[in-house]
Amino acid sequence: MDSTATHTPTHIDSEPSTFIVPNLFNDCQYPLRQSPHRDPVSRASEQWLLNEARLVEPESTSLLQMDGAALAAACYPDADASHLRVCADVINFIFTVDDWLEFRVVDARGARESCISALRDPINFHTEELAAKLCKSYFGRFKVTGGPGCTKRFIHAMDLFFIAVTQQLDDYAEGRTLDLQSYITMRRDTSCCKPSFALAEYAAQIDLPDEVVSHPVIMAMEEATNDHISWVNDLLSFNKEQSRHDMHNIVPVLMLEQGLDLQGAVDCASRLVAGAVKRFEDNRAILPLWGEEIDRQVALYVEGMQNWMVGSLHWHCGCLRYAGEDGHVMTQDPTMKLLPKTAL
């Protein structure tokens, strides 16, 4: 099958008025933990972004509703205050720059060039681009304690994010949709989970050897974690995205490729979410041994991925940005009313 196809009207354009999101907690029952540093770090990170990114309404309200530091506190619960602050700043940066890219506030290719340059040399690279200045700020602090391996991996993963988002924007502008496998491949980069895995190393103050990070079992666990986070995000952001005719979401991709109606695609995506947890556990069971010290670091890294799955799930379901005012009651009343589509 071709990797892209021009969208033509199908039953996706005549959806019912509601759909039901199955309970996503049933298959992800890892313990949810929260950093004791959450509140002060949240206030500091929000103020940093408001000041450094020069956010004004409605961006400033959107930032407060997102509460990216709460996501960091759930995903990096054992980080000390200074490391958690860097993680929170990175997450707030990612959501902000993702919005800037989506709404064409900044040029995607220019942002990639300036941001990656800033990450490679946060001290000596000079720029007036706001996104790159944010990178200089948080990554200058990251590099104080970040090991060379996770530093390299973070920069490479952020580059993949910018490349994938640029392609996503081009596809949207030209009315192209992806087949399922092409979508999954791209989504693993647009999700920005890969930089977050490097942050898990940074937060735990470890630096995994390349032979560990490149091991097929570790890579399979990363993919499973990435897919779980991405597809939870897709399910909970689908309503808003479909109202904007945005097809970069697993639900419309499944509808178009497999000929499913809306509820069928939502149910299928939910099964894929559950399957991602199973893939993670199946690979955890066959983790190889590398020796006492490396095994200690691997255990922390695996726990970091686990924290990301459960922390991200709970955060999404309580976040105004994704679940809206009804997010906290989704488990009691999972019926979602479709938002009307905006005019093209």
Side-chain angles (χ1 to χ4, degrees), residues 183-223:
Y183 173 77
I184 290 172
T185 299
M186 179 180 283
R187 190 71 175 97
R188 287 171 178 163
D189 289 326
T190 61
S191 69
C192 222
C193 287
K194 293 176 183 178
S196 302
F197 298 157
L199 282 180
E201 292 184 75
Y202 166 80
Q205 301 183 60
I206 60 175
D207 196 34
L208 294 172
D210 288 342
E211 61 266 26
V212 172
V213 177
S214 62
H215 193 281
V217 173
I218 295 293
M219 294 175 67
M221 296 182 79
E222 290 174 342
E223 287 189 350

Side-chain angles (χ1 to χ4, degrees), residues 160-205:
L160 293 176
F161 164 74
F162 279 107
I163 292 170
V165 170
T166 301
Q167 184 60 55
Q168 175 193 348
L169 293 171
D170 290 346
D171 289 343
Y172 179 78
E174 296 177 21
R176 291 193 301 260
T177 57
L178 302 179
D179 65 67
L180 180 59
Q181 190 53 55
S182 298
Y183 173 77
I184 290 172
T185 299
M186 179 180 283
R187 190 71 175 97
R188 287 171 178 163
D189 289 326
T190 61
S191 69
C192 222
C193 287
K194 293 176 183 178
S196 302
F197 298 157
L199 282 180
E201 292 184 75
Y202 166 80
Q205 301 183 60

Side-chain angles (χ1 to χ4, degrees), residues 5 51 62 81 85 93 96 102 106 109 142 169 187-188 240 242 248 253 276 287 292 297-298 312 315 321 328 334 341:
N51 292 341
S62 177
R85 168 62 194 279
F93 162 80
T96 299
E102 179 180 355
V106 297
R109 289 171 176 82
F142 178 106
L169 293 171
R187 190 71 175 97
R188 287 171 178 163
K240 182 182 293 184
Q242 65 82 28
H248 189 73
V253 170
L287 270 170
E292 184 176 354
Q297 294 190 32
V298 169
S312 176
W315 176 80
R321 178 186 177 102
H328 291 285
K341 282 185 167 57

Side-chain angles (χ1 to χ4, degrees), residues 75-80 83-84 87 145 150 196-208 293 296-304 307:
C75 296
Y76 310 110
D78 297 313
D80 63 31
H83 284 77
L84 182 65
C87 294
T145 61
C150 73
S196 302
F197 298 157
L199 282 180
E201 292 184 75
Y202 166 80
Q205 301 183 60
I206 60 175
D207 196 34
L208 294 172
E293 174 55 24
R296 180 191 71 84
Q297 294 190 32
V298 169
L300 290 172
Y301 188 63
V302 169
E303 184 179 30
N307 288 335

Side-chain angles (χ1 to χ4, degrees), residues 132-148:
K133 291 176 75 172
L134 293 171
C135 290
K136 282 170 58 69
S137 174
Y138 71 70
F139 212 59
R141 288 174 278 136
F142 178 106
K143 292 190 72 173
V144 173
T145 61

